[in-house]
Amino acid sequence: NILVDRGGNALPIRKFALLGALISLVSCTNPMMPVAGPESGDVRGHVQDADSLPYALVNLNPQTMSVLTRRLPGFAGVFTDRRPPQEVRFGKGDVVSVTIFEAAAGGLFIPSEAGVRPGNFVQLPNQAVDEKGNITVPYAGAVRAMGRTAAEIQNSIVNALRNRAIEPQAVVALVTQNTSLISVLGDVNTPGRVALQQGGERILDEIARAGGPKSQGYDQWVMLERNGKRVTVPFGALVNDPSKNIYARAHDTIYLYSEPQTFVAFGAVNGAVAAGGLVGTQGQINFGAWRLSLAEAVAKAGGLNDSLADPASVFIYRGEPRNIAKELGIDISKFNGTIIPVVYNVNFRDPAGYFLATKLEMRDKDVIFASNATAVEHAKIMNYIRLVTATAND
């Protein structure tokens, strides 16, 4: 029952038994050790408290990337009518002009004396569409204008005057448009209401008519409200993806606002580099662009810490819509709500993992967590044991 150390001193076996028991105790109660977040085994094994939020773990591979690299639906995914807007129709308050032509002098509007006036037409004073939706034309009475195009109003005027004037013709023009308007608000240089154009203009065209965005645009979002529905997309998405730049329609509200896209980096990262140096091993980091890949995000966080990180245990925390989660192979019946908590695991120990990381686009408010290597946790335990035994020896 006696062991001898290098100095020839006898050491009872019971001391080694006590040391082994202490190692076993500390290893089994590892949660007492300091750590920046969950261990990789806990994340993969879904080790959670009974009251914690359930989540799904998905490995980042070519199959999952084929789902995640699909473009998220923007304006076109909600507002499916991609046709150009129809002709502008008049509404209450619109100011219109009416010009009436006759084929010869001596008619209803043109005097018999040919030299009295130039031309064979008469222009009526500009008038607004009244509360009943009508305009007034002499000898034709009230003519319906609300909800009709200029051509339709012209035909009504001609039909009303056909039996009284000499081959009448009418031209109706919109002088001031007060109803078919589009509101462009927020971070634009000249916010206000702009008139809908006959040829049809897209969302970016309306923003340009309002003076364009005040900043470069990568931190700006565009919200479109139409018929009670609201959809928000990054301004850069409208510029880079023409399918999202849909036609504007009457009564649309376009609102631009600035909100920097950010992600959070925790765990075994070196720290985000700022003008004054490192801002800490964990923190909130701006995209600095409207689109950022996972590889670029890890680089912005200072890269993985060579002394701490397990490159095979880098996790991205994100909420996914139920349809995307289902395509990823997740059993969505286990989850409530429209958003499924998903933890993606990327393996940077595999050289191919870096190619996957360059394709995965970060989303606003994503969380990156780099787990410590197992050896780091073991080293913490050994240091703790050394502290205890040294104190006991003292």
Side-chain angles (χ1 to χ4, degrees):
N1 292 333
I2 299 296
L3 294 179
V4 179
D5 63 10
R6 294 182 180 180
N9 299 316
L11 296 176
I13 290 181
R14 62 189 182 189
K15 286 188 177 181
F16 288 92
L18 179 61
L19 180 61
L22 184 60
I23 293 175
S24 176
L25 176 64
V26 175
S27 298
C28 294
T29 58
N30 196 26
M32 65 182 284
M33 301 301 297
V35 66
E39 294 186 11
S40 58
D42 293 338
V43 178
R44 293 190 177 92
H46 289 217
V47 178
Q48 302 171 270
D49 295 333
D51 297 331
S52 65
L53 181 71
Y55 63 89
L57 181 67
V58 177
N59 291 323
L60 207 61
N61 53 45
Q63 289 72 33
T64 57
M65 285 301 302
S66 64
V67 177
L68 296 176
T69 52
R70 296 176 189 171
R71 296 187 183 274
L72 293 175
F75 294 150
V78 177
F79 307 115
T80 56
D81 187 0
R82 304 189 184 184
R83 297 172 299 174
Q86 299 175 350
E87 292 181 305
V88 175
R89 295 182 178 273
F90 294 3
K92 295 179 182 179
D94 285 344
V95 178
V96 299
S97 68
V98 178
T99 304
I100 300 175
F101 293 78
E102 285 190 282
L108 189 61
F109 296 98
I110 309 302
S112 301
E113 298 80 5
V116 172
R117 57 180 294 119
N120 59 338
F121 66 89
V122 59
Q123 186 169 3
L124 304 182
N126 294 343
Q127 59 180 307
V129 179
D130 62 23
E131 287 297 322
K132 295 182 179 180
N134 300 326
I135 60 174
T136 302
V137 177
Y139 305 107
V143 177
R144 187 69 176 174
M146 188 177 69
R148 307 177 75 181
T149 64
E152 292 171 343
I153 300 173
Q154 290 168 182
N155 291 334
S156 295
I157 295 174
V158 170
N159 291 332
L161 298 176
R162 189 180 302 278
N163 297 327
R164 309 186 68 176
I166 302 175
E167 298 181 16
Q169 298 292 322
V171 174
V172 176
L174 183 61
V175 177
T176 304
Q177 192 170 341
N178 294 321
T179 55
S180 297
L181 301 176
I182 299 169
S183 298
V184 186
L185 309 172
D187 290 338
V188 291
N189 287 303
T190 54
R193 306 180 73 189
V194 295
L196 179 67
Q197 298 297 303
Q198 287 281 2
E201 292 183 324
R202 298 180 183 270
I203 301 298
L204 286 179
D205 298 327
E206 305 301 344
I207 295 174
R209 291 175 65 190
K214 290 183 178 180
S215 65
Q216 294 180 348
Y218 61 77
D219 280 342
Q220 287 197 313
W221 299 77
V222 181
M223 184 195 74
L224 173 62
E225 181 177 354
R226 176 184 297 174
N227 299 329
K229 297 180 180 179
R230 292 180 179 178
V231 181
T232 302
V233 301
F235 177 79
L238 296 179
V239 176
N240 290 273
D241 188 355
S243 66
K244 291 183 172 62
N245 187 26
I246 63 174
Y247 282 103
R249 300 193 180 278
H251 314 300
D252 279 355
T253 297
I254 302 171
Y255 178 68
L256 272 71
Y257 65 95
S258 297
E259 182 179 318
Q261 297 185 84
T262 62
F263 68 94
V264 177
F266 288 127
V269 293
N270 284 317
V273 179
L278 294 179
V279 299
T281 57
Q282 303 174 4
Q284 185 182 52
I285 305 170
N286 290 341
F287 277 24
W290 79 270
R291 185 166 54 188
L292 188 73
S293 70
L294 173 59
E296 293 170 325
V298 173
K300 275 182 167 288
L304 301 181
N305 191 313
D306 187 51
S307 301
L308 300 175
D310 176 9
S313 301
V314 178
F315 303 101
I316 300 94
Y317 288 71
R318 174 185 296 175
E320 293 287 7
R322 294 184 72 88
N323 61 323
I324 298 296
K326 185 177 181 179
E327 292 188 48
L328 291 171
I330 298 171
D331 184 5
I332 61 175
S333 62
K334 299 180 179 179
F335 301 89
N336 299 322
T338 58
I339 301 298
I340 308 299
V342 180
V343 178
Y344 294 100
N345 179 204
V346 57
N347 183 7
F348 282 126
R349 197 177 292 276
D350 179 7
Y354 289 88
F355 290 105
L356 296 175
T358 59
K359 295 181 179 179
L360 179 65
E361 290 188 13
M362 297 290 292
R363 294 185 195 162
D364 190 33
K365 304 304 182 288
D366 274 354
V367 175
I368 297 176
F369 175 72
S371 183
N372 286 346
T374 304
V376 174
E377 304 304 325
H378 290 171
K380 290 180 181 179
I381 295 172
M382 295 305 299
N383 288 333
Y384 180 77
I385 293 173
R386 290 182 62 184
L387 176 62
V388 172
T389 55
T391 302
N393 288 332
D394 290 344

